Amino acid sequence: MNREFSLQIQEIGEQGLLKILQRFCPSEIIGDDAAVLLTEDGQSLIVTTDVLVDNIHFSEITTSPEDVGWRSAAANLSDLAAMGASPLGITVGLGLPGNLAVSWVERLYQGMTECLQQHNAPIVGGDVVRSPVITIAITAFGQAHPHRIIRRDQAQVGDAIVVTGVHGASRAGLELLLHPELGKNLSDKDRKTLIRAHQRPQPRLDVLPILWQILGSPSLLPIAGMDSSDGLADAVVQICRASGVGAVVECTQIPLPKAFEVWLTREQALEYALYGGEDFELVLCLPKQLANELIQHLNQNVAIIGEITEGSTVLLNDQYKEFPDQVLSLNRGFQHFS
């Protein structure tokens, strides 16, 4: 973050800052003590909250203010996508140092807006407080048909485990930003692609219409899922724990960025994919026939990576036997307070 000299927040105060931020919100929604969001008949309101803290989730070395805004919005939209919900809007809570440049906050909101506009999701309110460290707390609101809500506890034995998109790209982009000397064999295009995966992740709301098209009218057919923001291994283990099942994941089927072939060893690539996190892809468990139909419709970097099994063990298998089978766990990914 470039703290270039400019007008500072403490010079304009809370009300001055709010007047600036209100420009990013629909005028007909803001102004009261709370936002009023109308949902369609027969829809459920879906609410999620995510908090980002300076030097924990972002830093001036790796992300511009616009990128911080984009990532903070994308993280919440990804949670809505993981629930099968369409976004309605977000509220933004900011904790800011008084000597922070006003332009930094405006650029933050510009990045949020760029991400949100792709999905017709406005900023409908929020709060601003003084804080010694920049903190961004976003609450996102979405709607979903009650029979189309995707939950973690619906995985069934025999289900296919489907992942959208490549995994490990965000972690690779972060490493390249922190250590520019890495990846000497990468082309400029591949380097930029990996860095963009970290700075501008795409929430997979685009998958939902295709999924509903395959399913037809709303039904009680169970589909389990979540996003892979905390890592692919974390997502599979969390789903299995919630559903009371186990799984076998075939490591050779996990979609990886092609750039990994000229840069990382297979072991490093799997580490990034399984435990790197912040890829914001969907991990879905559904009957195999539907899984194959979904792959045919998406037709890009989507794969069946495993199967739900009886028991409680989540096993990573290697069909080439280059690595011994291993049990996937929550302990190797990012964990707060550990």
Side-chain angles (χ1 to χ4, degrees), residues 91-109:
T91 60
V92 183
L94 295 179
L96 303 170
N99 62 354
L100 182 67
V102 173
S103 62
W104 191 95
V105 185
E106 289 183 293
R107 293 170 62 190
L108 172 78
Y109 267 62

Side-chain angles (χ1 to χ4, degrees), residues 79 82 151-155 161 224-247 249 274-275 283-285 308 311-315 327-336:
D79 284 337
R151 304 182 187 276
R152 299 182 185 182
D153 64 355
Q154 296 297 305
I161 305 172
M226 61 180 290
D227 77 355
S228 59
S229 56
D230 290 326
L232 178 55
D234 176 276
V236 176
V237 173
Q238 296 273 21
I239 291 170
C240 288
R241 285 190 177 184
S243 300
V245 295
V249 175
L274 291 169
Y275 299 106
V283 181
L284 302 171
C285 300
I308 297 298
S312 59
T313 302
V314 181
L315 190 67
V327 175
L328 298 181
S329 73
L330 303 179
N331 299 327
R332 292 172 63 182
F334 176 79
Q335 298 286 327
H336 289 282

Side-chain angles (χ1 to χ4, degrees), residues 266-279:
R266 188 157 174 255
E267 187 174 12
Q268 289 173 319
L270 279 175
E271 180 73 18
Y272 282 13
L274 291 169
Y275 299 106
E278 297 189 318
D279 288 305

Side-chain angles (χ1 to χ4, degrees), residues 50 52 91-95 109 112 125-129 135-139:
D50 202 55
L52 289 84
T91 60
V92 183
L94 295 179
Y109 267 62
M112 284 186 201
D127 192 25
V128 178
V129 299
T135 304
I136 305 162
I138 292 181
T139 296

Side-chain angles (χ1 to χ4, degrees), residues 78-79 81-82 162-169 197 201-204 206-207 225-232 235 255 277-284 298 300-302:
S78 181
D79 284 337
V162 177
V163 297
T164 66
V166 299
H167 277 78
Q202 295 287 341
R204 297 309 305 268
D206 61 302
V207 174
M226 61 180 290
D227 77 355
S228 59
S229 56
D230 290 326
L232 178 55
E278 297 189 318
D279 288 305
F280 295 107
E281 296 292 343
L282 295 183
V283 181
L284 302 171
L298 289 174
Q300 186 177 13
N301 292 326
V302 184

Side-chain angles (χ1 to χ4, degrees), residues 2-13 17 54 95-105 129-134:
N2 183 13
R3 308 299 208 277
E4 69 267 24
F5 177 78
S6 65
L7 187 65
Q8 295 182 346
I9 293 173
Q10 59 195 3
E11 297 178 63
I12 63 174
L17 181 60
D54 190 12
L96 303 170
N99 62 354
L100 182 67
V102 173
S103 62
W104 191 95
V105 185
V129 299
R130 184 176 62 190
S131 169
V133 60
I134 299 173

